[in-house]
Structure formats: structure tokens, C-alpha cells
């Protein structure tokens, strides 16, 4: 990576602890999944919406953090609009989480029934044209894990999903079920970069999160809704090293409880332009 890039915008190296709470335990996930399977999907979503309203009341710190962030995103919004947006965030998360425990764990052959539409397939074809693999960059929005499985089933090539390890390894084992052409790769593995480069040379797909900083030298500050925010530069370093493009892709829940996948134009990265590529994403 260009050394000036790291020196100019790099964040101080420090240990970053992401949000955690006492409910993030594997046994609770299993109980929730067992209860969810007893209901049809419409019933699960109704129950999830009710729990979301309850959580919005019982988690004041989280609610205020969400409201503060939305206040920056929806600049100038009046208090009633912000309140409605906060409620919508909690509800959307609850619906996607209920699918995480059920739909996401279903056989890939059944997933198409939950997909409303895929937009931008021409961008994937353009990204694949050079045969150097594709780095799909998404964000913590909607049901990103289901989006990865839906896309992997559609393009029928091995897909390596890179993510940070869960604090509780038993949650990792519960949530991350490989197979159907999907392989999960822990970001902190000492050989992960080499294995990902090898996969891209085989013209395979690497899926990464583009919005969660690592807390180390691989983070850069970029303007985001009027203030600097940290983002990981790693996917773009990988793109420059491999010659693969970065393909932005997002999976969002539609009004009819089915998902829509959006792919944007591929981002090609040359040496020294990693930060510019990240800015495009």
C-alpha cells in the first residue's frame, strides 16, 4: 500500500471493541431460532415488529445513538421525522434478524422465493470480464449475509465471505454455516490474505464488509455525512494486488417482505488510488 496514504489519514493503532451486550449469547440465539421456527414467516415478522417497539423503549442508549446518527444523515429533519426513522431502523433490524435465524439457514435452492429482484447484473458481468475474480463490497445494511448467499447461488462460483470473528465462538458456529459454494473466512487469520489472493486468481468471488473499521493502520478517515469517519482500506489493497475490481452490492428488505439486491458499477483500483476507490464506495 502507498505509504503516504497510511501516514496521512491512518487512525492511531488501538484495539477496537465493537458494540456488545449480554443478550449476545449462543443459547439465546438457539432459543430464538427454535421459537421462530414455530411460526410462519408472517407471524415471525409480526412478533419481531412487536419486539422492536419494545427494544426501542428498553434500550435508551442504543436508541439515542441511532437517533444521533440519523440526525446527521437526515440533516434538518424535524423531531417527529427522526423518531419515525429510529422506529423504522429498529423494526427493519428485527425483521432481518428473524430471517437471519431462519431464512438464512435454509437450503440455497429455496432462497429464490425470498428475492424480489436483482438490479445491476450487467455490473457483475463487467466486473467478471477480465477473469481476475471479483471483490464484492457490501455494508451492514439490510440482510447482507442473505445477499451473499443469493448472489453466490446466482453466479455459481465459489464465494469467500470475509468477516470479523464473533466474540463468542459458539455464535460463530451457529450463524456461519458454509456450503452451497460459500466459505467463511475470519479476517484475523494469519493466512487469510494469501488464501483470498489465490481465490481471486482462480476467478472466484471474495465478499467483504466495506463499512467496519479494524482499529488499526488499515483504517483511513474519509468525509461521511459532513464529518470524518473511519473505513477499512483493506479491500482496495486486495483489489490493487489482485487486479480484481471492487463491486458494490447491497441487499435490502422491500415492502412486501422480500429482498432486493442492488449492484453498482465496478471500481478498478490502481497503485496509489486505493483511497480514491474507497471514496467511490
Amino acid at each position: 500500500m502507498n505509504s503516504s496514504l497510511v501516514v496521512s489519514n491512518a487512525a492511531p493503532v488501538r484495539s477496537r471493541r465493537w458494540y456488545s451486550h449480554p443478550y449476545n449469547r449462543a443459547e439465546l440465539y438457539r432459543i430464538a431460532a427454535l421459537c421462530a421456527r414455530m411460526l410462519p414467516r408472517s407471524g415471525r415478522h409480526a412478533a419481531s415488529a412487536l419486539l422492536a417497539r419494545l427494544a426501542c423503549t428498553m434500550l435508551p442508549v442504543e436508541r439515542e445513538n441511532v437517533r444521533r446518527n440519523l440526525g446527521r444523515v437526515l440533516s434538518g429533519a424535524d423531531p417527529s421525522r427522526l423518531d419515525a426513522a429510529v422506529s423504522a431502523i429498529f423494526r427493519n433490524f428485527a425483521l432481518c434478524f428473524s430471517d437471519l435465524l431462519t431464512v438464512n439457514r435454509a437450503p440455497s435452492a429455496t432462497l429464490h422465493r425470498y428475492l424480489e429482484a436483482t438490479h445491476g447484473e450487467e455490473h457483475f458481468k463487467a466486473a467478471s470480464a477480465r477473469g481476475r475474480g471479483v471483490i464484492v463490497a457490501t455494508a451492514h445494511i439490510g440482510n447482507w449475509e442473505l445477499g451473499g448467499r443469493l448472489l453466490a447461488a446466482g453466479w455459481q462460483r465459489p464465494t469467500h465471505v470475509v468477516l470479523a470473528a464473533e466474540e463468542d465462538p459458539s455464535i460463530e458456529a451457529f450463524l456461519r454455516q458454509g456450503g452451497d459454494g460459500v466459505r467463511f473466512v475470519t479476517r484475523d487469520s494469519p493466512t487469510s490474505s494469501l488464501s483470498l489472493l489465490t481465490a481471486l486468481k482462480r476467478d472466484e468471488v471474495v465478499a467483504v464488509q466495506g463499512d467496519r473499521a479494524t482499529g488499526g493502520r488499515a483504517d483511513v478517515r474519509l468525509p461521511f455525512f459532513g464529518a470524518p469517519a473511519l473505513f477499512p482500506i483493506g479491500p482496495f489493497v486486495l483489489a490493487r494486488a489482485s487486479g480484481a475490481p471492487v463491486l458494490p452490492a447491497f441487499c435490502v428488505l422491500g415492502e412486501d417482505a422480500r429482498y432486493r439486491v442492488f449492484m453498482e458499477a465496478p471500481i478498478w483500483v490502481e497503485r496509489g488510488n486505493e483511497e480514491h476507490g474507497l471514496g467511490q464506495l
Side-chain angles (χ1 to χ4, degrees):
M1 179 165 40
N2 187 315
S3 59
S4 64
L5 173 66
V6 178
V7 172
S8 63
N9 274 351
V13 178
R14 59 189 175 88
S15 175
R16 178 176 291 276
R17 178 181 176 87
W18 289 103
Y19 174 77
S20 62
H21 57 78
Y23 308 115
N24 196 37
R25 305 198 328 247
E27 52 269 30
L28 294 180
Y29 277 61
R30 293 190 182 95
I31 292 172
L34 180 63
C35 294
R37 286 197 294 268
M38 296 178 181
L39 296 171
R41 188 164 181 251
S42 58
R44 293 197 302 268
H45 278 195
S48 297
L50 179 62
L51 289 172
R53 290 197 294 270
L54 184 63
C56 201
T57 301
M58 295 182 62
L59 300 173
V61 174
E62 291 81 354
R63 183 184 65 242
E64 290 308 311
N65 283 338
V66 169
R67 197 175 195 277
R68 183 170 59 251
N69 285 338
L70 287 175
R72 176 173 292 166
V73 173
L74 304 175
S75 178
D78 59 47
S80 61
R81 185 186 176 198
L82 279 182
D83 290 338
V86 170
S87 297
I89 288 282
F90 272 80
R91 181 179 184 275
N92 187 270
F93 176 84
L95 300 187
C96 290
F97 188 79
S98 73
D99 282 346
L100 172 69
L101 298 176
T102 52
V103 171
N104 288 31
R105 299 161 61 80
S108 60
T110 67
L111 297 181
H112 66 277
R113 70 183 65 167
Y114 305 106
L115 178 63
E116 177 186 340
T118 300
H119 305 272
E121 291 180 333
E122 70 277 10
H123 297 311
F124 180 75
K125 292 178 181 178
S128 304
R130 298 186 187 180
R132 297 182 178 180
V134 179
I135 300 171
V136 177
T138 187
H140 288 82
I141 181 173
N143 192 337
W144 62 269
E145 291 186 333
L146 180 63
R149 292 195 64 198
L150 287 167
L151 290 174
W155 55 50
Q156 297 182 336
R157 67 173 77 184
T159 301
H160 308 262
V161 181
V162 185
L163 37 76
E166 294 283 343
E167 288 183 297
D168 183 348
S170 58
I171 293 180
E172 185 98 32
F174 177 78
L175 292 178
R176 318 300 181 200
Q177 295 184 340
D180 295 327
V182 176
R183 169 178 171 259
F184 290 99
V185 180
T186 302
R187 188 180 60 202
D188 299 330
S189 170
T191 61
S192 62
S193 296
L194 181 60
S195 68
L196 296 176
L197 277 171
T198 302
L200 291 169
K201 287 183 179 179
R202 294 194 299 262
D203 196 21
E204 296 175 356
V205 175
V206 171
V208 299
Q209 289 287 357
D211 63 341
R212 175 165 288 180
T214 65
R217 293 186 182 277
D219 296 342
V220 297
R221 290 186 178 90
L222 291 177
F224 191 63
F225 288 104
L230 293 173
F231 293 92
I233 198 74
F236 293 86
V237 175
L238 181 64
R240 185 259 297 162
S242 64
V246 175
L247 180 75
F250 309 94
C251 180
V252 299
L253 186 62
E255 295 297 328
D256 63 350
R258 291 197 298 162
Y259 289 94
R260 289 175 288 167
V261 174
F262 294 86
M263 289 180 280
E264 303 293 339
I267 301 168
W268 299 91
V269 183
E270 298 180 356
R271 181 177 295 276
N273 287 335
E274 295 90 347
E275 185 176 343
H276 177 71
L278 177 58
Q280 287 181 268
L281 177 65

